Amino acid sequence: MGDAVLRAEGVVAGYVPDLPILKAVDLAVRRASVTVIIGPNGAGKSTLIKTIAGLVPLSSGRIIHDGADISRIRPDRLAAQGIAYVPQMDNIFRTLTIRQNLDLALRRAGAEAAGRLEDLYARFPPLADKRNEKAGALSGGQRQFLAVAMALAARPSLILMDEPSAGLSPKAAQEVLECARGLTEQGVTILLVEQNVKQALRLADHCYILAEGRNQLDGSAADLLSDPVVGEIYLGARRKGAA
Amino acid sequence: MIGFISYAVFFSTVASILAIAVLGLNLQWGFTGLFNGGVVAFFGAGAYGTLILGGTPQADHLGGFGLIYPLALAGGAAVAGLLAWVVGILTLRLRQDYLAIATFGIAVTFENVMRNAEALSGGAKGFRGFERPLRDLFGDGFGYNLAFFCFVLALLVGVFLFLERLVRSPFGRLLRAIREDEDAARSLGKSPARVRLVSFVTGSVIIGLAGGLYATFYAFISPQDVLPTLTFQIWAMLIVGGAGNNRGAVFGAFLIWGGWTSSGWALSRFAPVEAQLYTGSIQYILIGSIIVTMLLWRPQGLLPERLVISQAGQPRKPRTTGSMT
Amino acid sequence: MIQNLADGILVGSVLSLGAIGLTLVMHMLRFANFSHAELLSIGAYAALVFDAVFAAILPPLAAKIGPLSMTWALALALLAAIAITGASALLIDRLVFRRVRSKGSELSMVFASFGVAMIVRNVTGLLFGLGTQLYSRDIVFAVVVSRDPLLLIKPDQVFVLAAALLVMVALHLVLTRTTLGFALRAVAENPTLAQVNGVNLGRMIALVWVLGGGLAAIAGVFYGLTNQISPMIGRDLVLPVFAATIVGGIGSVYGAVLGGFIVGVAANVALAVLPSGYSPSVPFLIILAVLLVRPNGLFGEARA
Ligand SMILES: Nc1ncnc2c1ncn2[C@@H]1O[C@H](COP(=O)(O)OP(=O)(O)O)[C@@H](O)[C@H]1O
Ligand SMILES: [Mg+2]
């Protein structure tokens, strides 16, 4: 993968000194692709995403984005450099209105802000309808769309998403994932964590499996989807077979 | 020489009394993580309580119950405990900083009420009319002071041993567990609010005991003795000595009280006369600087808490620091 | 009684200004700052110094503004005091709070603020003396608004109230109409998410201190204009200002405004019932009442 837009090399990181959650993680993400990270609970998937977003300090290794080392760069600077991050929970400001959430996300857009705001409303009509309501009042799916809209506001080249479909109805989950897929056609790169393994693998290009802070396996999504071992562990194939 | 010894006894008595108060605060802050911003209210409650219960009859205000001394002292400590119970019920289930604000408020209010409620406390003139216990036996001079010092020292040792035992008991482990990780403690089926209340009241009873001894020693208490600055002094003693370590608490009390009295002496002796008025200000700047410096330089104090490994082989889970750095 | 009410509203406006800054700091930095009221003191004294300086440099400035006891020099000094106090708040954060924050828990910050309060208060005493001072020795006569019931109001009081309300409206507009205001509120709600959305956290914290300090300076000068200036301003106002934030709910600017007026009015009206010596106890009683009835205040949200 020569044209990887994002690379993690030997990343060791954690929340407190001397207690690494990520023990050795390598990753390469191709431009304009969807890459999915799966793994058991507590594997460190969220931690990896947060580390890339600049929220968790590395104790060794590095993260390269567009050829530059971004391992020590503050999150707000990374956001300005076109790396957007959609957290798993609490990913919108409940006490602000939808409009205010979006205005905040568009703060650096200058003269383009008004146009982009209209684009976002056009893309997510429910948000336009409720623009003056407090974001805390939105339903789960709408919240997730607002979070994605905020991420898109800065016209990022790379979007990191942590379980964007968690807690959503199957329909809403599918919509969110398809929305992510659609973005790659505009050249945006997507790295996402998913619990909905089957759904995610169908739509992803590449997949990493993480456990206990280390890489376990990686390959093209199609290969993994048909891999019997992966199928057994992550897709419940055996249970289905036994039934 | 006798002058020196007599001063040493005087100094050690006051330092030991304060050390008892610091031990009470250590139970609250050091072992349970409760921020008592109004130590002086509980100290004062013990002091006024003891004098009112044990004093001779008073013409113009409450008092003169003439209880025998041990009962008066225990009664004073109980008054402090009662006050703590009321404050604790109201605030311990809320955000931590509410306790800090509420206790600070009760200290301001306590001083204000003692200054104004003449019928209760003698008002700004203070409370006199207290017969020092066993005065017939020891007289009024050095002998009495020495005997009283021994009494205070015995109580200090008693409180120290009691607390050492308490913090090593299952209840003590529970306190630390709640301090470190309230949710985990809750998941074990313990009610953090109740455990906190017990610790807060116990600590305040100990602080009230110190107040009772203080009032006994001077046979007098007035609103001037219960100013919020005493809270600072007691806190400084604990922080310098080392929160979570009972030895540290006692050590800090002697160290800071020594520094306080000697700085006062040095200022009164060497500072120009015009500056004498500002002795207090300078001392408070010093103590404020000590507090801030300790927090920056050595927040664990001079004698830090010895880490108690709570589960075999597992280091204590470090508190995650906020992201607001 | 009606006089108490009028006086209470005036004190309330001062408390409100102090409480807005405190509630922002408490909400965003998550600690009870016992040194906040000292910022009022810094502001009051800074204005005292600059008032004298400006009046000396340009004597015409010493003229009064209309019926007020405030002079043009003092009005300029107020601006200088805002700058000085904002800078002091920032400096204290850099020297103490930021360092403690990176090391210890939130309660270490509470304790550090005790130490800071003690240092600021006593350094002020050393620099300016322990006695009380006034911006102006001239007596400004109160206007009799009504004889029965008797109601006397000084022009200064009307000015202070109007100016305080103006400041609050301006702040309201910033918080509800500008992206800077959204960023401040965003940091208060979820600092991590704010960062991810491109907000520079360090700069917002600095802004909160400067804002809190500036508002405290205004409060301090207004307090000095209607009372006396002494190094004990901080000691006397710390509890009322805390009471105002708790009544309003920690983190709520509007709550702080309302809380300030409630505490101011309650403390003054209580004087009609209680002997005057007890007025320092009133804020505590208000705190207790709020904690009993509505622990998160009028507008506050529960937070762990
Ligand atoms: N803020 C945090 N502070 C300390 N430890 C954390 C924090 N967040 C997660 N962890 C720990 O890091 C490990 C990995 O968590 P996470 O990355 O969230 O896993 P995943 O997303 O794969 O389920 C877990 O053991 C978790 O307890
Ligand atoms: Mg996760």
Side-chain angles (χ1 to χ4, degrees):
Chain A
M1 284 211 284
D3 61 339
V5 66
L6 177 77
R7 250 172 208 296
E9 296 173 355
V11 167
V12 181
Y15 300 92
V16 284
D18 307 323
L19 207 67
I21 304 289
L22 304 178
K23 292 165 189 116
V25 175
D26 296 285
L27 194 77
V29 178
R30 241 179 328 119
R31 192 179 299 279
S33 71
V34 173
T35 302
V36 62
I37 304 171
I38 59 177
N41 257 330
K45 305 179 298 291
S46 297
T47 306
L48 175 58
I49 295 267
K50 283 193 257 179
T51 308
I52 298 169
L55 294 166
V56 176
L58 280 83
S59 48
S60 84
R62 26 179 227 161
I63 294 168
I64 315 270
H65 176 245
D66 267 344
D69 187 342
I70 57 163
S71 325
R72 303 264 178 282
I73 298 189
R74 280 204 324 257
D76 53 305
R77 291 258 170 80
L78 292 178
Q81 287 181 14
I83 302 180
Y85 161 58
V86 183
Q88 181 178 350
M89 311 225 297
D90 295 329
N91 48 20
I92 49 137
F93 297 105
R94 283 175 292 113
T95 53
L96 303 186
T97 64
I98 288 156
R99 169 81 201 264
Q100 290 171 342
N101 269 284
L102 292 172
D103 280 347
L104 177 65
L106 286 162
R107 203 154 73 108
R108 302 260 173 258
E112 284 184 36
R116 288 197 203 171
L117 184 63
E118 286 317 313
D119 287 351
L120 291 171
Y121 281 149
R123 191 194 276 265
F124 303 105
L127 298 183
D129 299 340
K130 300 190 171 176
R131 64 183 77 183
N132 290 321
E133 287 179 30
K134 285 260 153 62
L138 290 177
S139 72
Q142 291 168 343
R143 257 184 219 210
Q144 212 61 34
F145 281 119
L146 176 57
V148 173
M150 287 167 73
L152 291 178
R155 296 274 156 96
S157 59
L158 169 65
I159 304 182
L160 312 166
M161 299 172 131
D162 197 349
E163 304 201 19
S165 71
L168 298 189
S169 69
K171 182 167 165 284
Q174 188 63 30
E175 276 174 25
V176 169
L177 290 175
E178 275 167 12
C179 165
R181 176 83 253 179
L183 289 168
T184 57
E185 276 145 35
Q186 297 152 34
V188 179
T189 312
I190 310 273
L191 175 62
L192 59 86
V193 172
E194 258 306 329
Q195 291 286 0
N196 257 329
V197 174
K198 215 187 253 178
Q199 226 172 353
L201 282 183
R202 282 212 195 96
L203 174 141
D205 300 303
H206 202 84
C207 173
Y208 283 85
I209 300 183
L210 214 65
E212 295 182 8
R214 293 172 201 280
N215 293 71
Q216 299 298 315
L217 203 63
D218 78 272
S220 85
D223 291 352
L224 289 187
L225 202 52
S226 54
D227 185 309
V229 180
V230 174
E232 185 176 312
I233 299 174
Y234 291 100
L235 305 177
R238 191 169 55 169
R239 254 187 292 135
K240 215 180 263 167
Chain B
M1 189 61 197
I2 191 78
F4 175 76
I5 293 178
S6 146
Y7 184 76
V9 167
F10 173 81
F11 171 84
S12 306
T13 307
V14 179
S16 302
I17 291 172
L18 292 172
I20 293 175
V22 179
L23 283 173
L25 181 64
N26 194 25
L27 176 61
Q28 298 174 337
W29 169 246
F31 294 111
T32 328
L34 301 175
F35 194 104
N36 184 347
V39 175
V40 72
F42 307 99
F43 189 88
Y48 274 99
T50 302
L51 292 200
I52 289 174
L53 291 172
T56 51
Q58 301 290 318
D60 50 356
H61 58 86
L62 189 69
F65 295 100
L67 285 191
I68 56 162
Y69 182 67
L71 275 183
L73 190 61
V79 172
L82 193 68
L83 189 63
W85 185 75
V86 173
V87 180
I89 292 265
L90 287 174
T91 53
L92 285 174
R93 66 205 153 82
L94 300 172
R95 273 175 65 156
Q96 275 277 6
D97 35 10
Y98 281 132
L99 180 67
I101 297 169
T103 46
F104 179 81
I106 206 160
V108 170
T109 305
F110 184 83
E111 192 258 345
N112 180 241
V113 171
M114 291 304 119
R115 194 177 287 283
N116 287 284
E118 300 204 345
L120 172 69
S121 62
K125 298 189 305 295
F127 193 114
R128 287 181 197 286
F130 182 70
E131 184 83 21
R132 295 173 92 187
L134 301 184
R135 191 155 151 247
D136 304 337
L137 197 62
F138 295 107
D140 267 335
F142 176 69
Y144 189 93
N145 284 348
L146 190 63
F148 189 72
F149 172 57
C150 292
F151 174 62
V152 169
L153 198 62
L155 282 176
L156 174 60
V157 171
V159 168
F160 181 90
L161 293 177
F162 166 73
L163 287 178
E164 282 289 292
R165 223 161 220 244
L166 185 76
V167 299
R168 289 186 205 306
S169 71
F171 182 76
R173 285 198 292 276
L174 190 56
L175 290 183
R176 280 188 301 270
I178 287 172
R179 181 188 68 181
E180 297 305 325
D181 191 342
E182 178 171 339
D183 293 330
R186 205 193 308 273
S187 68
L188 293 174
K190 310 293 181 187
S191 154
R194 268 207 44 208
V195 174
R196 283 214 191 100
L197 186 62
V198 171
S199 162
F200 187 64
V201 171
T202 311
S204 297
V205 166
I206 295 173
I207 295 170
L209 174 71
L213 292 170
Y214 180 87
T216 313
F217 186 55
Y218 290 104
F220 173 67
I221 188 86
S222 83
Q224 280 316 107
D225 296 310
V226 294
L227 295 177
T229 37
L230 182 61
T231 300
F232 286 90
Q233 291 170 330
I234 291 174
W235 265 102
M237 291 167 184
L238 181 60
I239 295 296
V240 168
N245 182 329
N246 287 324
R247 275 167 224 280
V250 176
F251 172 65
F254 277 79
L255 192 68
I256 293 290
W257 189 242
W260 181 264
T261 48
S262 52
S263 68
W265 175 80
L267 284 169
S268 68
R269 174 130 189 190
F270 300 117
V273 181
E274 319 83 72
Q276 299 283 333
L277 184 60
Y278 293 97
T279 304
S281 301
I282 294 169
Q283 281 183 298
Y284 289 126
I285 292 170
L286 284 177
I287 213 151
S289 309
I290 287 173
I291 289 170
V292 171
T293 311
M294 278 309 283
L295 286 173
L296 291 177
W297 167 67
R298 205 181 153 84
Q300 70 277 36
L302 294 178
L303 302 184
E305 174 177 12
R306 280 153 299 172
L307 283 190
V308 182
I309 310 286
S310 40
Q311 281 157 31
Q314 271 208 320
R316 210 167 63 173
K317 183 177 146 204
R319 214 186 294 243
T320 44
T321 47
S323 47
M324 305 288 294
T325 45
Chain C
M1 191 69 181
I2 187 123
Q3 182 73 50
N4 290 343
L5 196 68
D7 292 345
I9 290 173
L10 179 76
V11 177
S13 60
V14 169
L15 295 181
S16 293
L17 290 171
I20 293 171
L22 180 60
T23 210
L24 288 175
V25 168
M26 278 179 76
H27 193 49
M28 291 179 58
L29 302 177
R30 289 162 169 70
F31 81 106
N33 181 7
F34 279 84
S35 64
H36 189 80
E38 304 305 326
L39 295 173
L40 275 74
S41 178
I42 292 178
Y45 276 100
L48 189 68
V49 171
F50 278 97
D51 181 30
V53 169
F54 290 144
I57 296 176
L58 217 78
L61 288 178
K64 293 210 183 83
I65 306 176
L68 306 177
S69 72
M70 190 168 200
T71 61
W72 293 103
L74 184 56
L76 287 179
L78 172 61
L79 298 180
I82 291 172
I84 299 267
T85 313
S88 308
L90 197 56
L91 184 72
I92 293 171
D93 184 57
R94 292 284 132 100
L95 289 178
V96 181
F97 294 132
R98 190 166 72 168
R99 295 169 192 225
V100 176
R101 198 152 65 224
S102 67
K103 284 191 161 200
S105 71
E106 290 147 22
L107 286 169
S108 301
M109 306 266 291
V110 177
F111 193 53
S113 75
F114 264 92
V116 168
M118 182 130 270
I119 295 173
V120 171
R121 189 179 307 158
N122 289 287
V123 167
T124 310
L126 278 187
L127 289 177
F128 295 98
L130 301 175
T132 58
Q133 307 193 42
L134 295 169
Y135 287 125
S136 161
R137 287 189 194 289
D138 301 340
I139 294 166
V140 174
F141 291 102
V143 179
V144 182
V145 179
S146 138
R147 281 190 196 283
D148 186 31
L150 185 63
L151 179 60
L152 300 172
I153 290 183
K154 291 183 185 173
D156 281 346
Q157 297 180 316
V158 176
F159 165 73
V160 164
L161 181 63
L165 290 176
L166 202 65
V167 169
M168 292 169 202
V169 169
L171 187 64
H172 169 79
L173 292 178
V174 168
L175 287 175
T176 53
R177 299 275 195 286
T178 69
T179 51
L180 182 68
F182 305 160
L184 274 172
R185 287 160 63 197
V187 170
E189 181 181 327
N190 186 339
T192 309
L193 187 62
Q195 271 184 300
V196 167
N197 277 287
V199 175
N200 182 336
L201 198 55
R203 198 175 295 165
M204 285 301 135
I205 291 175
L207 181 63
V208 166
W209 283 113
V210 171
L211 201 61
L215 293 169
I218 300 175
V221 173
F222 287 178
Y223 185 81
L225 206 57
T226 46
N227 293 274
Q228 291 169 323
I229 308 159
S230 92
M232 293 304 154
I233 288 181
R235 185 199 66 186
D236 295 340
L237 291 184
V238 58
L239 203 54
V241 172
F242 266 128
T245 46
I246 289 182
V247 169
I250 293 170
S252 165
V253 169
Y254 315 114
V257 171
L258 195 61
F261 285 109
I262 290 177
V263 173
V265 169
N268 272 275
V269 170
L271 290 184
V273 190
L274 285 173
S276 69
Y278 287 105
S279 68
S281 296
V282 175
F284 175 68
L285 295 180
I286 295 175
I287 290 176
L288 272 196
V290 172
L291 292 183
L292 264 177
V293 180
R294 207 181 156 88
N296 293 309
L298 295 175
F299 297 104
E301 280 186 55
R303 194 177 69 190

